[in-house]
Amino acid sequence: MSDEYQRRLAPAALLAQDRSLERWVSIPDQVAGLYRIWRPTPLYRARALERELDTPAEIYFKYEGQSPSGSHKLNSALAQAYYAKQEGVGRLVTDTGAGQWGSALALAGALIGIEVTVYMVRASYHHKPGRRHLMETYGATVLPSPGTTTAAGRSFLSQDPEHPGSEATAVTEALEVVRSDPDARFSMGAFANHVLLHQTVIGLEAREQLALAGASDVDYLVASVGCGSNLGGLMLPWMADKLRGAQITMLGVEPTACPTLTQGEYRWDYADAMGQGPSTRTYTLGHEFVPPPIHAGGLRYHGAAPLVGLLRHEGILDAIAYRQTEVFSAGALFARLTGLVPAPETAHAIRAVIDIARRCREQSRKATILFSYSGHGLLDLGAYGRFNSGELQDVESLEQSTDSPRPPAFQEVSA
Ligand SMILES: *Cc1c(COP(=O)(O)O)cnc(C)c1O
């Protein structure tokens, strides 16, 4: 992809961050001020879960569900809106599936004072309107994708007037709008290096809080992976220790329905499903891969952020995949023990933490576990309802087992 095209796509400051070799990039004062609405987020110890599992492990979690939009995504949305505003960008355009990223960017636009247009997957726009109402309440323009405002949208609809839409159609429409409006830039919810950089506030705060809590060094860092922004945000601040030999297991948890890190290949691929955007080397299931509909909408992405893919490729990051019923049973157990209803994405991390803590009990082994509580599930209660009534199905995805070399899935808990 040409530099010219990149310059038209995203604010220059963010492209510079993508390539930056600086050791520290400080948080601009205005962004730090806005973070104070909900940051620092609490670090909790899940004592009730430890008791329930009768485990010698200490389980901590960083509670990003406290953000007003409900997840960690606001950390990057605010930074992106700030840099865009600094450069005189009039409007940020983005795509959203179920609406987590769209609602974060909508709120960031309202707080920073920049227009936000969101192309939302048509099926969610009509059938899960809660987050659409949230985005509109924050003042964003939300359009169903495919829709009639772009040539691409009209073409998708002429092929199929009932087209349910996908991330692919939403990105395509958003990019078309950015290309035709010199005042607009495209905003990415995950994937890019700058997004992971913004998210490191999670791990930087958690390190200081663990020290204040007198916790010993962490043995396990656990996070769900869609693209890897909450994982990178939590874990990158520990990377120097790990590379210097600290015994820290870093574990990414994904759905079996979209097993990017456990079943994907490390190769060049497109970030967007149409194969129009930038191409990068990372773990991918192929940009044309369409994951089956599962309730953890934020984890239905074919590729990992390039930094996360590299860590996996280098054998630094472990990975494991779970089916959605075992994920929801972990989420429901956590809710009963703590009162906090985790987002289905977050429940993936909790599932893995439970298995690690059980293994610690079997082995009478002490360990300190920290996981990323990436978001709350109060706008996902429909999914919990389906789980509670036994309607939730496990969707096995690909039998695909390519011959490409890849690190084995995390063995410790599956043995
Ligand atoms: C979007 C989302 C994720 C997955 O995205 P990452 O980029 O992998 O962090 C996880 N949890 C929640 C609550 C989300 O909204």
Side-chain angles (χ1 to χ4, degrees):
M1 194 173 67
S2 74
D3 276 6
E4 180 56 33
Y5 181 62
Q6 284 210 3
R7 270 198 293 283
R8 271 294 288 113
L9 207 63
L14 299 176
L15 295 174
Q17 286 178 0
D18 282 342
R19 299 165 186 185
S20 169
L21 297 174
E22 295 294 326
R23 184 139 177 72
W24 286 100
V25 177
S26 50
I27 302 174
D29 287 346
Q30 192 189 355
V31 176
L34 290 167
Y35 277 176
R36 279 184 204 110
I37 294 174
W38 82 103
R39 304 207 74 87
T41 58
L43 177 85
Y44 289 118
R45 180 162 168 194
R47 286 185 189 272
L49 182 60
E50 293 171 14
R51 276 195 299 274
E52 170 76 16
L53 301 173
D54 190 23
T55 178
E58 292 184 9
I59 303 173
Y60 294 87
F61 60 100
K62 183 68 169 153
Y63 185 54
E64 293 297 307
Q66 170 158 304
S67 114
S69 68
S71 77
H72 67 289
K73 290 197 172 72
L74 190 56
N75 298 328
S76 183
L78 271 177
Q80 292 191 40
Y82 167 83
Y83 289 111
K85 177 87 177 176
Q86 290 290 300
E87 290 175 29
V89 171
R91 171 159 76 127
L92 287 174
V93 185
T94 199
D95 60 290
T96 200
Q100 279 279 14
W101 169 245
S103 30
L105 195 67
L107 175 55
L111 293 172
I112 298 273
I114 192 166
E115 234 183 279
V116 171
T117 303
V118 181
Y119 282 89
M120 184 175 189
V121 172
R122 188 174 204 100
S124 306
Y125 181 93
H126 289 301
H127 302 302
K128 291 185 194 160
R131 286 203 171 268
R132 163 161 63 99
H133 299 319
L134 184 61
M135 290 183 259
E136 288 167 344
T137 304
Y138 289 146
T141 303
V142 187
L143 299 160
S145 178
T148 52
T149 57
T150 63
R154 288 188 294 274
S155 136
F156 288 126
L157 284 177
S158 73
Q159 290 156 26
D160 175 7
E162 302 299 315
H163 200 307
S166 65
E167 292 284 350
T169 66
V171 175
T172 308
E173 288 195 272
L175 288 175
E176 181 182 324
V177 168
V178 171
R179 274 190 221 106
S180 64
D181 176 0
D183 220 27
R185 292 291 180 278
F186 182 68
S187 193
M188 274 194 183
F191 203 79
N193 292 354
H194 64 258
V195 181
L196 271 66
L197 170 73
H198 305 153
Q199 294 295 354
T200 54
V201 68
I202 301 172
L204 291 170
E205 280 181 10
R207 277 191 80 130
E208 291 189 26
Q209 290 168 316
L210 275 174
L212 284 173
S216 51
D217 293 342
V218 289
D219 301 292
Y220 294 90
L221 293 170
V222 183
S224 62
V225 198
C227 241
S229 73
N230 85 96
L231 180 146
L234 179 76
M235 300 183 192
L236 289 175
W238 269 275
M239 203 52 67
D241 307 64
K242 169 111 179 166
L243 295 176
R244 268 190 238 111
Q247 296 291 314
I248 304 172
T249 298
M250 297 181 168
L251 180 62
V253 191
E254 58 188 12
T256 51
C258 191
T260 312
L261 294 178
T262 52
Q263 296 281 311
E265 288 179 77
Y266 191 65
R267 63 173 168 87
W268 289 89
D269 194 17
Y270 294 100
D272 65 299
M274 301 299 289
Q276 294 177 336
S279 150
T280 36
R281 193 162 182 224
T282 188
Y283 266 88
T284 178
L285 294 164
H287 65 274
E288 60 296 309
F289 176 74
V290 180
I294 51 165
H295 286 286
L299 306 185
R300 290 181 68 231
Y301 187 72
H302 66 270
L307 269 178
V308 171
L310 178 66
L311 291 172
R312 176 74 180 137
H313 180 64
E314 297 285 336
I316 292 166
L317 180 66
D318 280 299
I320 192 166
Y322 285 102
R323 287 183 292 275
Q324 66 175 348
T325 50
E326 48 189 359
V327 163
F328 272 87
S329 70
L333 172 68
F334 196 82
R336 282 169 209 166
L337 292 168
T338 65
L340 300 173
V341 180
E345 292 85 356
T346 306
H348 284 72
I350 296 173
R351 172 78 262 167
V353 166
I354 289 173
D355 287 350
I356 294 167
R358 285 197 173 124
R359 179 50 63 100
C360 288
R361 179 189 58 198
E362 287 162 19
Q363 299 173 342
S364 302
R365 180 161 57 86
K366 277 192 182 302
T368 301
I369 306 170
L370 169 63
F371 76 88
S372 164
Y373 194 111
S374 52
H376 71 65
L378 292 175
L379 292 171
D380 302 285
L381 292 177
Y384 277 93
R386 296 193 61 207
F387 171 72
N388 294 337
S389 61
E391 287 167 56
L392 210 62
Q393 303 274 314
D394 279 329
V395 267
E396 269 325 305
S397 185
L398 46 178
E399 286 306 314
Q400 170 205 357
S401 194
T402 57
D403 293 330
S404 74
R406 67 174 84 87
F410 186 57
Q411 293 299 320
E412 184 176 320
V413 297
S414 38

